Amino acid sequence: MNRRIVLGCAMFLFTATPFFAQDTSSVVDAIVKEVNENSNLEALGHELMDDIGPRLVGTPQMQQAHDWAVKKFNAWGISAENQEYGTWKAWERGITHVDMVYPRVQSLSATQLAWSPSTSKKGVTAELVTLPNVNNEEEFKKWLPSVKGKFVMIARNEATGRPDDNWKEYATPASFEKMKQERTEQIQAWNENMKNMGHNKRSLIEALENAGAAGIVDSYWSKGFGVNKIFGAGTKKIPTVDIELEHYGMLYRMVEHGDKPQLNIVARSKDLGVAPTYNTVAEIKGSEKPEEYVILSAHFDSWDGGTGATDNGTGVMVMMEAMRVLKKLNPNPKRTIIAGLWGSEEQGLNGSSAFAEDHPEIVNNIQAVFNQDNGTGRVVRINGQGFLHSYDFLSRWLSAVPNDIRKEIETTFPGRPSSGGSDHSSFVTRGAPAFMLSSLSWDYWNYTWHTNRDTYDKIVFDDVRSNAILVAIMAYMASEDEQSVSKERIVLPIDQNTGKPQEWPTPRTAERKGGM
């Protein structure tokens, strides 16, 4: 998921509005009881994160996850299918093993980046070098041939391996400020040197590969103990690995002190050509207004440094559990309820954008989309996304949610429309009422978002159960509402640059041939 900021004035919901049939409270009570006493969440989490593992688009594991979800839905009596929307570079991760072999021997904590080319079984052994400090692009070009046959470190050495909250708790104020100033100066110097080289990170990697480097060594620290963010490689022929901060810093100092460390990198992977990409779409058909839709939304794919537990395994688990419960307790809803488990969100909302492009008949008749994507925490914020009357219908539906869940939720009405960040945006930008169920942090941004530590053990099941109850009740209320919601949009504020009202965000176009 991509980070965003929720804008607008906050309001809190305390009151209930009687609107639905008299059996609403009994259905709600049954939903709460079912999730609390017969939850499938722990089993879903184990099977998805531990057994299948990370779900990088284009990998066999992504396909395995799609097939697993269809079987699960079918076992609950819910029709489901994998809808193909494009293709992606097909690749499978293998063993990564990185050792320092000179001037001493030490195994290092490292991960091959996604889609990286493979080494041989014996790996590649080479000396490690850092980037030069140069005054201009010409100096960099003169240095560039020296990388032939060497591993090149392309990340700066961090000023500290301690997160800021640790410094704030233990350091003197003067020491903390000194560290931050030194770090700021280091970042500025690094950026200035990159500018002098005439490259950004992507073009730098291409230049190093073309110059004959043996491999690329990166380190993307996530500003917490033991966490690095793991994304994709930018190389086509040579391996790229991420080395965790502690070992990367050690190696950087060794190079700077003239120790000439050598690494052996074994980074095995398989280039599998091209693979189809899918969305898994499950459906409980509506009985009275089947042409109107409530969509439960979560992206299925993940980066693969960890196992994609909080980004977005927990969102997937919530939507699947809500569908299971709804099918059991309200098998003939008034409106059609769809669960969309989207592919390739991490590369730009591709799965949900493709679904919206391919199914205008659904998008044009959406009652509500409920999307969950930012971690294991209980839902604490809902933004009206710029729909003028969102307060009316969202507060009506929220009124049925038990107070111990509802009281935690801060709402923003009418809010501002999201142009990106997660899959609800694929619908908002097309004028459909879609809402992000934003979660309590649990240090998500530093410790699990796209990191090597996003694993099953970080799931907080009490919060996930709360979210499953919330989604099931909201979906039930939206599906059974006598009214179809208003899609009227607010007039956005004046753009200070043009003097005219800001425009509603435009939809993204799905990438249907990715990674090649």
Side-chain angles (χ1 to χ4, degrees), residues 475-505:
Y476 166 71
M477 296 293 285
S479 69
E480 303 308 301
D481 199 326
E482 294 295 333
Q483 297 182 12
S484 297
V485 302
S486 168
K487 299 179 182 179
E488 185 177 357
R489 311 176 197 179
I490 61 170
V491 176
L492 294 172
I494 298 296
D495 186 323
Q496 297 301 318
N497 294 322
T498 65
K500 298 179 180 179
Q502 299 172 22
E503 295 184 358
W504 197 264

Side-chain angles (χ1 to χ4, degrees), residues 82-95:
N82 293 326
Q83 296 182 359
E84 183 175 345
Y85 66 85
T87 57
W88 205 272
K89 176 180 173 63
W91 181 87
E92 185 172 18
R93 176 178 296 285
I95 292 171

